[in-house]
Amino acid sequence: MRLLFSRNPLWGLFFLALGLLAFAQEDPVVAQVGPESLTRSQFELRFGLFAKGALRQLGLPDNQETRALLAQYRAPYLEALAEERALLQVARKRGFWPREEAVAKKVWELSEAFPSQEALLQALLQAGIPDLDAYRLLLSEAMALEALEAHYRQALRVSPAALKALWLLSPEYRHPTLYCARHILVPTLEAAKEVLARLAKGEAFAQVAQEVSQDPGSKEVGGDLGCEPEGTYIPAFEKALLGLKPGEVSPPVGTEFGFHVILLERTEPPGRYPLEEVAEEIAQGVEDLAWERLAKALIRPYPITLFPERL
């Protein structure tokens, strides 16, 4: 019987077919993007990287419970990933795929930051990347997409005239009364009284703030909070601020953060934020929307079929 099996090539093909079928069932195609297939293992690698990044941004631990919170995003992520695969096909076809030596240089630069190859591989594993080959592929894809987008974004610049028109027509660039203020945050009422005593002697508010304020967001800029509308600050702070006249300093204001001494420098009447302050934001928004629509057009020749039930 053993001799019969070894001499009959059909048996070999039969068992090979069974093996391939088992592998296909274990790693099914979850999306067809033009001529290319996206398998579940490919999806899981990229969704795992997305999940790690999302949880890190949210300040949450990476465990089964928090991963379960992200389960609702698996199907939408599959759609986004399929569109990305189509853009990668566009990038390859149009010559934006990076050269091997460019990828190798970036891999070498990364490896130089680690004391050994083992340390690098361990860091990749902790990041959700199984090995260097997977990292090279992910890096190549990222470089290709970056090059493709940069090429087309050059043609999406917004003219000064269009910027001004959008600034004039967009209600989000109008503002109510703005309150331009500084504050000094200290831990105790006694410390706040000492601040007031120094200010009464003529010391500059900004200088005192740089020396004693415990607000890391404004200390280095002399307690400057910028110019903000009503509704920006916590109630106790805001009530004290709105009760001031320009140039006045508040008595100590207690909040959950400590005690504040507030200076209202000036108010600005309702109007528009200056064009020079918002021009970059307007241009970025227009260019982002234009690129999104252009990307949809670029991938149109690559039909996408999704199989979310196989995830």
Side-chain angles (χ1 to χ4, degrees), residues 30-85:
V30 295
Q32 187 68 38
V33 184
E36 294 185 8
S37 299
L38 177 68
T39 65
R40 188 164 63 194
S41 64
Q42 292 171 320
F43 169 85
E44 293 296 352
L45 171 61
R46 286 156 179 80
F47 187 78
L49 295 173
F50 159 76
K52 279 182 174 292
L55 293 173
R56 190 182 307 115
Q57 287 185 345
L58 293 171
L60 296 174
D62 187 357
N63 54 40
Q64 288 185 343
E65 184 178 356
T66 55
R67 286 287 179 118
L69 297 175
L70 299 178
Q72 60 184 310
Y73 300 108
R74 288 173 66 84
Y77 187 82
L78 175 62
E79 182 177 0
L81 183 58
E83 292 181 353
E84 180 184 286
R85 308 313 293 175

Side-chain angles (χ1 to χ4, degrees), residues 216-271:
S218 67
K219 174 184 174 71
E220 298 304 321
V221 289
D224 189 7
L225 298 173
C227 300
E228 301 295 341
E230 185 176 349
T232 298
Y233 304 108
I234 56 177
F237 186 101
E238 188 156 281
K239 181 179 179 181
L241 174 63
L242 297 182
L244 298 174
K245 295 178 181 179
E248 284 186 340
V249 174
S250 74
V253 179
T255 73
E256 59 192 278
F257 302 104
F259 288 84
H260 308 258
V261 175
I262 307 167
L263 166 65
L264 175 62
E265 292 190 311
R266 68 184 188 280
T267 61
E268 295 185 0

Side-chain angles (χ1 to χ4, degrees), residues 14-287:
F14 174 72
F15 285 114
L16 175 61
L18 285 180
L20 292 174
L21 180 59
F23 178 79
Q25 291 173 341
E26 292 172 1
D27 195 18
V29 172
V30 295
Q32 187 68 38
V33 184
E36 294 185 8
S37 299
L38 177 68
T39 65
R40 188 164 63 194
S41 64
Q42 292 171 320
F43 169 85
E44 293 296 352
L45 171 61
R46 286 156 179 80
F47 187 78
L49 295 173
F50 159 76
K52 279 182 174 292
L55 293 173
R56 190 182 307 115
Q57 287 185 345
L58 293 171
L60 296 174
D62 187 357
N63 54 40
Q64 288 185 343
E65 184 178 356
T66 55
R67 286 287 179 118
L69 297 175
L70 299 178
Q72 60 184 310
Y73 300 108
R74 288 173 66 84
Y77 187 82
L78 175 62
E79 182 177 0
L81 183 58
E83 292 181 353
E84 180 184 286
R85 308 313 293 175
L87 271 180
L88 284 168
Q89 293 180 49
V90 174
R92 189 182 291 277
K93 182 177 180 180
R94 303 197 178 189
F96 292 103
W97 203 263
R99 299 190 306 274
E100 288 186 13
E101 54 267 28
V103 177
K105 180 182 178 185
K106 287 189 175 292
V107 173
W108 177 82
E109 290 172 352
L110 176 67
S111 66
E112 285 292 289
F114 292 88
S116 66
Q117 185 83 346
E118 291 73 20
L120 171 59
L121 293 175
Q122 184 61 35
L124 289 176
L125 280 174
Q126 291 177 353
I129 303 172
D131 51 43
L132 266 177
D133 286 339
Y135 177 71
R136 289 189 189 95
L137 177 59
L138 291 168
L139 180 60
S140 298
E141 292 175 351
M143 292 171 68
L145 291 173
E146 183 180 359
L148 177 72
E149 184 173 344
H151 172 78
Y152 284 104
R153 275 188 179 268
Q154 291 178 358
L156 301 177
R157 302 302 180 197
V158 185
S159 70
L163 279 178
K164 187 171 184 179
L166 289 167
W167 174 66
L168 290 170
L169 295 173
S170 301
E172 61 265 35
Y173 299 114
R174 297 189 63 85
H175 62 75
T177 300
L178 298 179
Y179 298 85
C180 306
R182 294 178 184 268
H183 85 135
I184 298 171
L185 175 64
V186 289
T188 65
L189 179 59
E190 291 72 21
K193 290 179 178 178
E194 291 177 6
V195 167
L196 288 173
R198 292 179 62 177
L199 296 175
K201 292 178 182 179
E203 292 191 52
F205 193 99
Q207 182 63 38
V208 178
Q210 288 179 334
E211 291 181 12
V212 304
S213 181
Q214 296 190 353
D215 175 16
S218 67
K219 174 184 174 71
E220 298 304 321
V221 289
D224 189 7
L225 298 173
C227 300
E228 301 295 341
E230 185 176 349
T232 298
Y233 304 108
I234 56 177
F237 186 101
E238 188 156 281
K239 181 179 179 181
L241 174 63
L242 297 182
L244 298 174
K245 295 178 181 179
E248 284 186 340
V249 174
S250 74
V253 179
T255 73
E256 59 192 278
F257 302 104
F259 288 84
H260 308 258
V261 175
I262 307 167
L263 166 65
L264 175 62
E265 292 190 311
R266 68 184 188 280
T267 61
E268 295 185 0
R272 289 185 179 87
Y273 292 103
L275 177 58
E276 58 271 18
E277 290 184 8
V278 297
E280 184 176 348
E281 178 185 334
I282 297 173
Q284 187 67 53
V286 173
E287 291 173 12

